[in-house]
């Protein structure tokens, strides 16, 4: 533990002209007294750490000292590619290796471009969770993430309907969608090696097994997820409504309903009438959901059928007219 901290301290000093004891303590998550002891230990080991006293003082490396400890370990290299999503890294238990990887890269950079990582961090930040929800990482996510990195089988127990089921899974990849973590895995005992998707927050137990699996090199995680997401979206669209849309309604439809449904509906739209309105057949989850979604389009959409749904909008219109009648 201390050896790793000493190496990290050297890399920090190598990547910056100087650092105060407080800055080092914050980066290393130790006390300033520990920083002083670590600096002394490095000096005794032959690393030329120099301490400058006074208000503008701090620690620096003397004489252009360069460490050769900048080679990336495999885990650090893999984590580096995820360094733009710090929240996800932390949830998967990879924050420390990502930090070490970034430090090694910074230490290897020329002085003229050493501020590039900070510049990039100030210009790009990914906030994955959706609005109006408190993100909560599943407790079993670090275990699952480690199995994914290590190509190691897991035995997982998860909630399904009113009960629980247990499966041995080959964990191929993780997907973070709107703050929810999903596992894409192959299930040998179910469907002869079919790939399936599981919400990790529905896992109630999991253990990493001793044996590893051989990955199917033809598996494409982004492609698989895109196919699964569209298939799921289409599977819940079990009803149809006929809607007339103004030009503004056409523009607003993809923002009001499921994008897949909007895309299909607009692709088969008829010719616009003299007012510029078009009639589309829209697939929806249910009439209740369609009412909530199409209400967002206001007077830019007219439900033609089914009649019960059209009647609900007529009632809404009458109530609104009464509510906003001139006083």
């Amino acid at each position: 533990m201390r050896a790793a901290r000493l190496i990290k301290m050297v890399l920090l000093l190598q990547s910056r002209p100087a650092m105060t004891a407080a800055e080092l303590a914050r980066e290393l998550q130790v006390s300033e007294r520990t920083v002083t002891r670590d600096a002394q230990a490095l000096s005794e080991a032959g690393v030329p750490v120099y301490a400058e006293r006074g208000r503008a003082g701090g620690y620096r490396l003397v004489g252009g000292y360069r460490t050769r400890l900048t080679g990336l370990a495999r885990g650090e290299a893999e984590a580096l590619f995820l360094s733009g999503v710090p929240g996800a890294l932390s949830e998967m238990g990879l924050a420390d290796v990502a930090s070490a990887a970034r430090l090694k890269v910074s230490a290897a950079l020329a002085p003229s471009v050493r501020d590039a990582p900070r510049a990039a961090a100030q210009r790009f930040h990914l906030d994955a969770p959706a609005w109006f929800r408190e993100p909560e990482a599943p407790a079993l996510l670090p275990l699952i993430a480690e199995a994914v990195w290590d190509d190691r089988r897991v035995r997982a127990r998860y909630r399904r309907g009113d009960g629980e089921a247990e499966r041995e899974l080959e964990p191929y990849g993780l997907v973070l969608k709107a703050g929810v973590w999903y596992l894409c895995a192959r299930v040998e005992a179910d469907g002869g090696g079919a790939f399936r998707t599981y919400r990790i927050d529905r896992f109630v137990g999991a253990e990493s097994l001793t044996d590893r699996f051989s990955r199917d090199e033809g598996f494409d995680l982004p492609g698989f997820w895109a196919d699964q997401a569209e298939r799921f979206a289409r599977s819940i669209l079990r009803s149809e409504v006929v809607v007339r849309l103004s030009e503004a309604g056409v523009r607003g439809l993809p923002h009001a309903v499921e994008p897949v449904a909007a895309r299909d509906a607009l692709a088969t739209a008829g010719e616009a009438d003299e007012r510029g309105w078009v009639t589309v057949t829209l697939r929806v989850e249910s009439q209740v959901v369609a009412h909530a979604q199409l209400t967002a389009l206001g007077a830019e959409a007219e439900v033609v059928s089914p009649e019960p749904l059209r009647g609900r909008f007529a009632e809404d219109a009458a109530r609104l007219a009464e509510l906003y009648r001139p006083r």
Side-chain angles (χ1 to χ4, degrees):
M1 185 71 175
R2 190 190 186 199
R5 189 175 72 241
L6 293 175
I7 292 173
K8 187 173 182 179
M9 183 174 180
V10 173
L11 292 172
L12 283 167
L13 293 173
Q14 184 171 313
S15 64
R16 307 179 193 180
M19 294 184 70
T20 65
E23 290 172 336
L24 284 168
R26 186 167 56 251
E27 291 282 352
L28 299 173
Q29 297 183 357
V30 296
S31 66
E32 292 187 30
R33 181 173 296 181
T34 299
V35 168
T36 301
R37 288 198 297 264
D38 285 352
Q40 183 177 352
L42 286 171
S43 180
E44 292 172 353
V47 178
V49 177
Y50 174 68
E52 292 182 329
R53 306 200 178 276
R55 181 176 297 180
Y59 293 91
R60 68 175 70 247
L61 293 175
V62 179
Y65 176 84
R66 306 286 294 177
T67 177
R68 296 182 180 274
L69 298 173
T70 53
L72 291 178
R74 179 179 178 83
E76 294 167 346
E78 290 169 335
L80 184 61
F81 288 99
L82 295 171
S83 59
V85 282
L89 277 170
S90 178
E91 291 175 4
M92 288 191 291
L94 296 174
D96 288 342
V97 291
S99 175
R102 286 192 296 267
L103 279 172
K104 289 182 177 181
V105 170
S106 296
L109 292 175
S112 60
V113 294
R114 197 162 289 161
D115 66 337
R118 182 180 181 279
Q122 293 301 318
R123 287 163 174 79
F124 175 77
H125 175 70
L126 177 61
D127 185 8
W131 288 104
F132 311 119
R133 63 177 299 167
E134 193 68 30
E136 184 176 344
L140 294 170
L141 177 59
L143 183 149
I144 299 297
E146 185 176 355
V148 169
W149 286 118
D150 207 25
D151 293 340
R152 191 177 296 275
R153 287 185 174 87
V154 297
R155 182 180 293 113
R157 194 170 71 257
Y158 60 96
R159 295 190 302 274
R160 188 177 67 174
D162 295 331
E164 295 181 1
E166 186 175 285
R167 291 286 186 274
E168 284 194 11
L169 307 175
E170 295 180 353
Y172 267 66
L174 292 168
V175 175
L176 177 60
K177 170 71 172 179
V180 179
W181 284 95
Y182 296 86
L183 172 67
C184 301
R186 186 163 62 182
V187 191
E188 289 293 344
D190 183 13
F195 286 96
R196 304 197 181 280
T197 304
Y198 300 86
R199 277 186 60 149
I200 297 180
D201 58 7
R202 292 180 181 167
F203 284 9
V204 295
E207 61 175 315
S208 182
L209 304 179
T210 57
D211 57 326
R212 292 183 171 87
F213 63 91
S214 298
R215 294 180 67 90
D216 179 356
E217 296 302 327
F219 177 76
D220 173 29
L221 179 60
F224 172 78
W225 176 256
D227 179 69
Q228 288 288 104
E230 183 162 333
R231 186 178 302 177
F232 171 75
R234 293 184 185 281
S235 71
I236 64 174
L237 304 176
R238 302 185 179 94
S239 301
E240 288 186 349
V241 299
V242 179
V243 186
R244 293 180 67 244
L245 299 168
S246 68
E247 293 181 6
V250 168
R251 294 192 298 270
L253 188 66
H255 306 288
V257 303
E258 174 62 43
V260 170
R263 186 168 64 246
D264 290 349
L266 296 176
T268 58
E271 293 291 329
D273 63 17
E274 65 278 2
R275 296 174 54 200
W277 287 57
V278 297
T279 301
V280 302
T281 299
L282 178 69
R283 296 179 64 199
V284 296
E285 185 175 347
S286 66
Q287 290 189 33
V288 173
V289 173
H291 177 261
Q293 292 175 332
L294 294 175
T295 295
L297 297 178
E300 306 303 330
E302 176 195 358
V303 173
V304 178
S305 67
E307 192 60 37
L309 182 58
R310 179 179 174 84
R312 290 192 63 180
F313 277 98
E315 292 174 6
D316 290 348
R319 291 173 59 194
L320 286 170
E322 177 67 22
L323 186 63
Y324 289 99
R325 185 179 59 184
R327 297 176 179 176

